[in-house]
Amino acid sequence: MSEQTQKRQVGVCLLCGLPGSGKSTLARSLSSGNSRKKFAVIPYDNIITAEAILTSLWKQHRQHLLENLEQFFLALLNFSTLGAPESSSTDGTWYHFVQSLEEQGLISSVRSHTDNLHYTVMISETDSVCLVLDDNFYYQSMRYEVYQLARKYSLGFCQLYLHCPVEICLQRNKERPVPVPEDTIRHMEKKIEKPNPEKNSWEQNSLTLDSSQHITAENERIIQLINQAMANPLRPLQEDSEIKEIDRTITAANILHQADQNLRRYISDTMKMVKGAVSAYDLRAIALEFQSAKAKVLEDLRQSMSEKNLQPINDSKSTDILAIFKEQTNHIVQRYVNKEKNCYS
Ligand SMILES: Nc1ncnc2c1ncn2[C@@H]1O[C@H](COP(=O)(O)OP(=O)(O)OP(=O)(O)O)[C@@H](O)[C@H]1O
């Protein structure tokens, strides 16, 4: 497809749950299904090796895996080849990443003498693609970084939490050729932060399933969750300029609010003084004081606005403030005139 008019639907489905809860089993079931949607499984355990997990470089490896994912998103969205990120030479994450995609038949290396870091995506351009991230994702922060990446590229995003009683996970784990240490699973059970859509609005596309039972890709709720996420991609963060404009509006509102408060205080003080005034001289002094207070509020307002490079006069709130000034000044002048009349009558 040389001239792309239609964007490909790309989505991410995070699988989370304790070791032994059945994430990899479900991921396999998804990728072997025969729907029009292509599932690309990203098996974190195979990509970030056990040795890396035991070292302090673990976080760095996760970061590199995110960069790899970003490259894959770009290749899928732009219908381009998959290229290695700059960090690819620093550890084996990229190697394991592309190896896993190659094994699934999703990419194929570009044969070139000069460039062995590019791969052709072997997915039909008309197919939508859902990346299934197979990891425990037991901290909310681990999921949030994927969410941010998905939002950056306006992808579909959903989470599937496989809930399975720890004793069942331990039992299944024991029967594996290379079991995870029991303490690790028990520790994780205490630490795991399940998706919490009530607290985190970004986790609203989450589903909890009881995985002590057999779960397959044909599960209606899973199909619905993924379809819905793909059909409703995340809205990307607004452009920098839009964010700056919002900040400017907030700053302007704060400055105007402050000026408004000062003005109301001056008016209230002035009105008290007007009530207590006994002579025309008092009133004249009060009126002069109010005039200079008003001028000071306006001057402070003008200065704060200009320091922040804002235009108060165009803002409806500043117009309100000026209207209050006018109204209150008229009011005081009227009282002043009335009192003066009384003094001389
Ligand atoms: N619903 C199920 N019923 C019975 N056994 C299951 C079920 N799901 C998975 N198993 C078995 O439990 C073991 C662990 O499953 P699996 O590898 O899918 O778990 P996992 O959540 O991916 O674990 P890990 O986080 O360690 O990768 C496997 O031997 C698998 O066959």
Side-chain angles (χ1 to χ4, degrees):
M1 212 177 282
S2 51
E3 287 210 6
Q4 282 302 328
T5 47
Q6 190 132 27
K7 250 185 92 182
R8 188 211 294 272
Q9 269 194 347
V10 179
V12 183
C13 177
L14 259 68
L15 300 184
C16 44
L18 295 177
S21 58
K23 299 177 298 296
S24 305
T25 307
L26 176 61
R28 274 195 299 276
S29 166
L30 285 165
S31 71
S32 60
N34 51 7
S35 74
R36 281 299 304 272
K37 202 178 277 97
K38 244 333 189 202
F39 287 93
V41 178
I42 311 296
Y44 273 53
D45 281 354
N46 299 352
I47 297 169
I48 302 176
T49 55
E51 300 86 72
I53 292 172
L54 295 174
T55 69
S56 56
L57 295 175
W58 174 70
K59 276 197 172 167
Q60 191 184 311
H61 282 244
R62 283 189 83 88
Q63 180 54 38
H64 288 166
L65 179 43
L66 275 181
E67 288 162 19
N68 297 343
L69 281 174
E70 186 163 7
Q71 293 300 104
F72 193 35
F73 292 150
L74 285 169
L76 290 171
L77 293 169
N78 299 335
F79 301 94
S80 60
T81 56
L82 168 64
E86 281 175 13
S87 63
S88 65
S89 57
T90 56
D91 61 44
T93 311
W94 169 252
Y95 172 76
H96 294 298
F97 180 75
V98 288
Q99 190 183 35
S100 164
L101 294 180
E102 269 190 311
E103 281 167 7
Q104 294 173 64
L106 300 169
I107 59 168
S108 167
S109 64
V110 173
R111 298 274 164 235
S112 153
H113 294 300
T114 52
D115 179 7
N116 59 3
L117 292 176
H118 279 82
Y119 295 80
T120 306
V121 175
M122 306 299 285
I123 303 171
S124 160
E125 292 185 356
T126 53
D127 280 351
S128 54
V129 185
C130 178
L131 271 70
V132 180
L133 273 49
D134 177 10
D135 183 35
N136 301 114
F137 286 114
Y138 63 104
Y139 284 139
Q140 176 199 301
S141 58
M142 295 169 166
R143 305 191 291 270
Y144 189 63
E145 56 192 14
V146 179
Y147 168 81
Q148 283 176 306
L149 189 57
R151 188 173 55 175
K152 181 174 171 185
Y153 291 101
S154 197
L155 310 180
F157 176 85
C158 60
Q159 305 185 129
L160 205 43
Y161 174 66
L162 299 189
H163 174 75
C164 188
V166 68
E167 297 306 329
I168 297 183
C169 292
L170 290 170
Q171 187 54 43
R172 289 178 186 170
N173 179 56
K174 260 191 215 153
E175 289 159 19
R176 292 202 277 199
V178 188
V180 175
E182 187 174 322
D183 282 352
T184 306
I185 300 182
R186 289 200 183 278
H187 178 73
M188 211 179 268
E189 200 237 345
K190 290 199 185 87
K191 291 271 168 198
I192 197 160
E193 295 169 355
K194 300 168 191 172
N196 188 344
E198 276 96 50
K199 189 170 153 238
N200 309 318
S201 59
W202 61 271
E203 295 199 290
Q204 60 185 309
N205 272 347
S206 302
L207 176 64
T208 298
L209 287 178
D210 174 6
S211 65
S212 59
Q213 310 294 318
H214 190 54
I215 301 178
T216 67
E218 278 78 52
N219 183 302
E220 277 302 323
R221 294 176 74 196
I222 298 179
I223 295 170
Q224 202 185 341
L225 175 82
I226 296 174
N227 284 347
Q228 199 172 318
M230 303 276 287
N232 299 286
L234 300 175
R235 281 166 55 113
L237 256 191
Q238 285 134 317
E239 291 297 313
D240 265 9
S241 57
E242 278 181 70
I243 294 169
K244 277 189 192 141
E245 194 47 48
I246 292 169
D247 284 349
R248 282 159 57 84
T249 309
I250 292 169
T251 310
N254 287 342
I255 292 172
L256 287 163
H257 175 70
Q258 192 56 52
D260 192 33
Q261 295 292 304
N262 290 344
L263 174 68
R264 283 170 200 276
R265 208 182 58 240
Y266 284 132
I267 289 170
S268 151
D269 291 350
T270 305
M271 297 313 282
K272 272 187 215 144
M273 285 192 282
V274 167
K275 270 186 201 149
V278 290
S279 70
Y281 294 111
D282 284 354
L283 282 166
R284 241 183 239 120
I286 293 164
L288 282 173
E289 210 173 299
F290 181 72
Q291 288 295 338
S292 77
K294 185 184 91 171
K296 186 170 179 332
V297 173
L298 273 179
E299 178 52 27
D300 287 352
L301 179 62
R302 195 195 58 72
Q303 201 175 326
S304 307
M305 288 294 190
S306 99
E307 273 168 17
K308 306 275 178 197
N309 211 14
L310 299 164
Q311 294 291 328
I313 266 6
N314 296 334
D315 190 287
S316 64
K317 186 85 192 295
S318 73
T319 316
D320 287 353
I321 288 182
L322 295 175
I324 296 173
F325 270 137
K326 213 168 163 192
E327 190 190 314
Q328 296 298 342
T329 311
N330 286 342
H331 189 62
I332 287 171
V333 168
Q334 196 52 50
R335 291 192 75 144
Y336 167 77
V337 170
N338 290 344
K339 275 218 171 188
E340 275 221 319
K341 270 192 200 153
N342 292 340
C343 282
Y344 293 106
S345 61

